[in-house]
Amino acid sequence: DAKTTQPPSMDCAEGRAANLPCNHSTISGNEYVYWYRQIHSQGPQYIIHGLKNNETNEMASLIITEDRKSSTLILPHATLRDTAVYYCIVRVSTWHFGNEKLTFGTGTRLTIIP
Amino acid sequence: GAGVSQTPSNKVTEKGKYVELRCDPISGHTALYWYRQSLGQGPEFLIYFQGTGAADDSGLPNDRFFAVRPEGSVSTLKIQRTERGDSAVYLCASSQSGEGSYEQYFGPGTRLTVT
């Protein structure tokens, strides 16, 4: 799987939009971009994923650049409960092997400031 | 519905002992994954099951580690002759399978401490 680069930490004021960047310049055509987060002492929680197009769900939006070499996760109105480590992962998915492993880096530690 | 559950939540064992960690995936999920997470690091892949068979066990660190999923549902991770370096949180995840890309749902983990 391609490697990703994320800033080690970020702060965001409560109620503001949190924009978390991720660089994946070596991504392949069959690799999806996934975002997970991990709140202290819990298992990772799925947030969103995408292949080419921008995606939005009830938790966040994912913006993928046209060349797919970078993406941004947007939490539109950050709350204190969004304080967590956020992981950007690129992952192969093939019809034959199904959904393979996730390769986590060290992520971005996002702190929401009251 | 019920999520992924793992038992025990905490396990303390002495160096050299044998331990078993259990994972109950979400009902109907055919794919099951084990990861382990050391302090300050992201989770590290260990093994992936598709049904009853191990589709990828490339992350198992050595032959002291073994995992089974005999009926394609519950899985057990087994560690023989535990070492202090095995201390970590062991995470289990499950997902749907098939064409496309599916998210993995993680359990709360088992914290293993080897003294």
Side-chain angles (χ1 to χ4, degrees), chain A residues 50-70:
Chain A
L51 183 62
K52 296 180 182 178
N53 300 320
N54 298 337
E55 302 287 345
T56 295
N57 62 22
E58 64 279 5
M59 289 183 68
S61 294
L62 173 61
I63 308 298
I64 302 174
T65 58
E66 193 169 342
D67 63 7
R68 303 210 320 127
K69 292 184 177 182
S70 65

Side-chain angles (χ1 to χ4, degrees), chain A:
Chain A
D1 290 343
K3 292 184 178 178
T4 61
T5 304
Q6 299 178 253
S9 64
M10 292 180 61
D11 293 340
C12 179
E14 188 178 17
R16 303 296 294 268
N19 294 271
L20 290 88
C22 180
N23 187 295
H24 30 80
S25 58
T26 59
I27 193 170
S28 300
N30 64 348
E31 289 182 312
Y32 287 74
V33 179
Y34 274 77
W35 284 83
Y36 280 77
R37 73 180 182 184
Q38 189 170 25
I39 295 169
H40 184 62
S41 296
Q42 297 183 20
Q45 176 190 22
Y46 167 78
I47 301 173
I48 199 167
H49 75 281
L51 183 62
K52 296 180 182 178
N53 300 320
N54 298 337
E55 302 287 345
T56 295
N57 62 22
E58 64 279 5
M59 289 183 68
S61 294
L62 173 61
I63 308 298
I64 302 174
T65 58
E66 193 169 342
D67 63 7
R68 303 210 320 127
K69 292 184 177 182
S70 65
S71 61
T72 301
L73 178 74
I74 302 172
L75 308 177
H77 304 288
T79 71
L80 297 178
R81 289 175 294 181
D82 293 321
T83 292
V85 177
Y86 287 76
Y87 296 99
C88 169
I89 300 163
V90 291
R91 180 196 193 203
V92 169
S93 178
T94 65
W95 72 267
H96 181 69
F97 290 105
N99 293 268
E100 298 182 359
K101 62 188 178 186
L102 296 169
T103 302
F104 291 82
T106 51
T108 295
R109 181 172 298 278
L110 176 68
T111 302
I112 306 302
I113 309 296

Side-chain angles (χ1 to χ4, degrees), chain B residues 39-101:
Chain B
L39 195 62
Q41 303 296 315
E44 176 188 27
F45 170 76
L46 295 176
I47 187 169
Y48 155 49
F49 286 90
Q50 186 61 247
T52 59
D56 181 358
D57 64 357
S58 62
L60 294 177
N62 53 58
D63 61 6
R64 295 187 298 107
F65 288 74
F66 189 70
V68 295
R69 196 185 183 201
E71 297 178 357
S73 179
V74 170
S75 176
T76 304
L77 178 66
K78 307 180 181 192
I79 310 174
Q80 298 178 320
R81 304 182 304 279
T82 52
E83 299 177 357
R84 292 194 180 88
D86 299 335
S87 296
V89 175
Y90 289 81
L91 295 160
C92 176
S94 70
S95 79
Q96 295 178 276
S97 299
E99 191 169 348
S101 189

